[in-house]
Amino acid sequence: VGLSFSFCQKANGLPLDKSLRSKKQKQHQRVRKEKPQQHNFTHRLLAAALKSHSGNISCMDFSSNGKYLATCADDRTVRIWSTKDFLQREHRSMRANVELDHATLVRFSPDCRAFIVWLANGDTLRVFKMTKREDGGYTFTATPEDFPKKHKAPVINIGIADTGKFIMTASSDTTILIWNLKGHVLSTINTNQMNNTHAAISPCSRFVASCGFTPDVKVWEVCFGKKGDFQEVVRAFELKGHSAAVHFFAFSNDSRRMASVSKDGTWKLWDTDVEYKKQQDPYLLRTGCFEEASTMPCRLALSPDAQVLALASGSSIHLYNTRRGEKEECFEQVHGECITDLSFDITGRLLASCGDRAVRLFHNTPGHRAVVEEMQGLLKRASNESTRQRLQQQLTQAQEALRSLGTLKK
């Protein structure tokens, strides 16, 4: 009896017939696990599609130096793309693995030497350091300790102030947390908006804003002392004018403009360059119609110069000129899933969107048209020659861009 095991030949620790059977089963499984079809989308203004992720992409972030785009997906990776390759045939990306978890949100640090992610299962923030290697690539190292768990509801957005002074995390209840970079909570904000649908830090780093079930966008100032020490968070101002819940909002690059979109079926552009301490309220510059917003959630992105508003609902994107409030472009069924993120690059020439396994980049033709219109207006009023030359140069560049895209209106 003691010897009987030697008669039963083993392969991989299994009796032979079993091992053959399991090989056959494995082959069957492999056949069944065909990759899902990549969603096909073509458009004359599609500049590129970035394809490397094997899972759906939930978030993107352009680095402040304009060199990189970070994307995270449920395939347990964060990818860092080189923006200078966008219009080339090959799109290189570097991969950072998220151990035993995946990231739902990603944001670059202002110095572009690190990025932060929100972990889907860990329910917390993780910091990755980016170290440049001699071969020009990067090594990504997660810092030993993740941030402590503080939120009681799912986190909907994270951000790092451009000054590098604080991090914001916001959850779908009414909580926004302000952290220092070491993972210590500096302040807790209760938005009192029933639930938060979006929250963000302004590019100037002074403000944190949120929107939700109430028809307003609330804005707070995060105050620091002269020596950079945190002091307090105070109410700054509100965007009042919508008549239903606000889905989403965004800041322009100089934080002097904000855009919002609401369940009331409209989008609004605001001038927020006000002295709120002297009780000045932001004022409404433009209201536009966006029917889709009344029946489904939507997101928006404002071009850096605030001339173009991009609105996404479902898998479609609509581009509006903010000066006239007119719709100029519409891209339908851009992704095989609902759009999860929408962002202009820092030049404002490209608009990026994600939702399925690809990032799609569009030429921002309304942005070029807005420049043409603005420069023509300024040229009529320009008095000295050097100003005229500068304006003419910008005008010619925008016209050239439109001509090369075949969209220059005569």
Side-chain angles (χ1 to χ4, degrees):
V1 178
L3 291 172
S4 67
F5 73 88
S6 62
F7 298 119
C8 170
Q9 265 190 302
K10 289 188 176 185
N12 283 338
L14 291 169
L16 262 183
D17 55 336
K18 261 195 186 161
S19 97
L20 289 173
R21 214 170 34 229
S22 73
K23 254 195 189 139
K24 276 206 178 113
Q25 276 172 344
K26 267 186 188 151
Q27 275 164 347
H28 279 301
Q29 279 170 345
R30 242 181 237 133
V31 172
R32 257 205 315 272
K33 249 183 107 179
E34 278 276 291
K35 267 193 176 174
Q37 253 330 102
Q38 277 266 29
H39 176 74
N40 270 331
F41 172 82
T42 53
H43 193 279
R44 62 189 171 83
L45 295 180
L46 182 69
L50 311 180
K51 299 174 181 178
S52 276
H53 279 292
S54 59
N56 288 340
I57 302 165
S58 56
C59 183
M60 311 178 287
D61 191 41
F62 282 99
S63 62
S64 59
N65 61 9
K67 287 183 181 177
Y68 303 109
L69 171 69
T71 54
C72 63
D74 56 17
D75 59 10
R76 296 184 170 183
T77 70
V78 173
R79 289 197 173 262
I80 310 283
W81 308 80
S82 176
T83 56
K84 67 171 193 291
D85 295 344
F86 282 175
L87 303 180
Q88 309 299 322
R89 290 193 63 162
E90 295 291 313
H91 305 120
R92 289 173 304 176
S93 71
M94 299 175 283
R95 189 183 74 200
N97 295 323
V98 183
E99 294 296 320
L100 306 174
D101 211 327
H102 72 269
T104 54
L105 298 159
V106 61
R107 297 284 175 251
F108 276 109
S109 66
D111 63 4
C112 309
R113 289 185 192 165
F115 59 86
I116 58 171
V117 300
W118 187 261
L119 299 174
N121 307 328
D123 245 347
T124 186
L125 202 75
R126 180 169 291 172
V127 180
F128 281 85
K129 291 265 197 299
M130 297 167 58
T131 326
K132 203 154 197 173
R133 297 197 307 260
E134 282 179 7
D135 63 6
Y138 277 94
T139 305
F140 305 105
T141 328
T143 53
E145 296 250 324
D146 293 336
F147 276 31
K149 290 188 191 184
K150 297 283 185 188
H151 283 282
K152 294 179 176 67
V155 162
I156 54 166
N157 203 16
I158 62 175
I160 309 184
D162 269 351
T163 51
K165 285 181 183 170
F166 68 94
I167 284 172
M168 175 215 75
T169 55
S171 47
S172 63
D173 47 10
T174 59
T175 310
I176 296 176
L177 295 179
I178 304 297
W179 310 71
N180 69 9
L181 272 58
K182 299 263 187 288
H184 175 73
V185 175
L186 300 171
S187 184
T188 303
I189 302 171
N190 176 3
T191 64
N192 286 317
Q193 287 170 312
M194 304 274 287
N195 68 320
N196 300 333
T197 51
H198 183 56
I201 304 174
S202 62
C204 67
S205 299
R206 263 179 77 188
F207 304 114
V208 164
S210 79
C211 66
F213 188 71
T214 57
D216 48 13
V217 177
K218 291 185 179 172
V219 184
W220 288 265
E221 183 170 4
V222 184
C223 306
F224 287 84
K226 288 207 163 42
K227 292 178 182 155
D229 49 317
F230 172 74
Q231 289 180 328
E232 59 175 345
V233 173
V234 294
R235 285 292 292 274
F237 54 85
E238 286 178 18
L239 306 183
K240 290 193 190 89
H242 284 294
S243 58
V246 178
H247 293 300
F248 214 84
F249 66 86
F251 290 92
S252 66
N253 206 27
D254 60 8
S255 306
R256 289 176 177 179
R257 297 282 183 272
M258 284 179 77
S260 55
V261 60
S262 161
K263 206 176 167 139
D264 64 14
T266 68
W267 58 263
K268 291 179 184 292
L269 181 74
W270 311 81
D271 181 342
T272 51
D273 190 16
V274 294
E275 292 195 51
Y276 73 87
K277 285 174 181 159
K278 295 182 181 169
Q279 273 63 59
Q280 262 193 348
D281 285 324
Y283 47 93
L284 184 61
L285 296 170
R286 172 89 50 243
T287 298
C289 214
F290 188 56
E291 297 284 317
E292 288 86 341
S294 53
T295 54
M296 61 203 297
C298 31
R299 307 179 70 86
L300 60 79
L302 191 55
S303 66
D305 60 7
Q307 297 273 11
V308 182
L309 180 66
L311 286 154
S313 67
S315 59
S316 300
I317 300 172
H318 309 258
L319 297 187
Y320 288 81
N321 168 304
T322 56
R323 196 183 279 190
R324 290 189 304 278
E326 292 168 7
K327 188 194 283 194
E328 292 208 6
E329 299 290 351
C330 181
F331 311 126
E332 289 184 338
Q333 293 175 334
V334 177
H335 296 278
E337 307 281 337
C338 281
I339 290 168
T340 51
D341 207 354
L342 193 63
S343 176
F344 285 92
D345 75 335
I346 68 164
T347 66
R349 286 167 168 263
L350 294 172
L351 172 71
S353 70
C354 64
D356 48 22
R357 294 178 304 163
V359 171
R360 294 201 158 78
L361 297 155
F362 293 91
H363 291 288
N364 177 15
T365 45
H368 294 305
R369 281 189 215 116
V371 170
V372 167
E373 209 172 297
E374 191 184 10
M375 293 309 141
Q376 284 171 338
L378 289 170
L379 269 166
K380 282 180 187 143
R381 299 197 296 277
S383 47
N384 70 30
E385 193 49 39
S386 65
T387 309
R388 289 184 65 83
Q389 280 180 346
R390 197 184 72 244
L391 296 172
Q392 187 58 54
Q393 191 184 353
Q394 285 173 279
L395 173 63
T396 310
Q397 271 180 336
Q399 285 171 327
E400 282 303 317
L402 289 168
R403 195 171 289 121
S404 69
L405 295 166
T407 54
L408 185 64
K409 287 181 181 162
K410 290 287 178 281

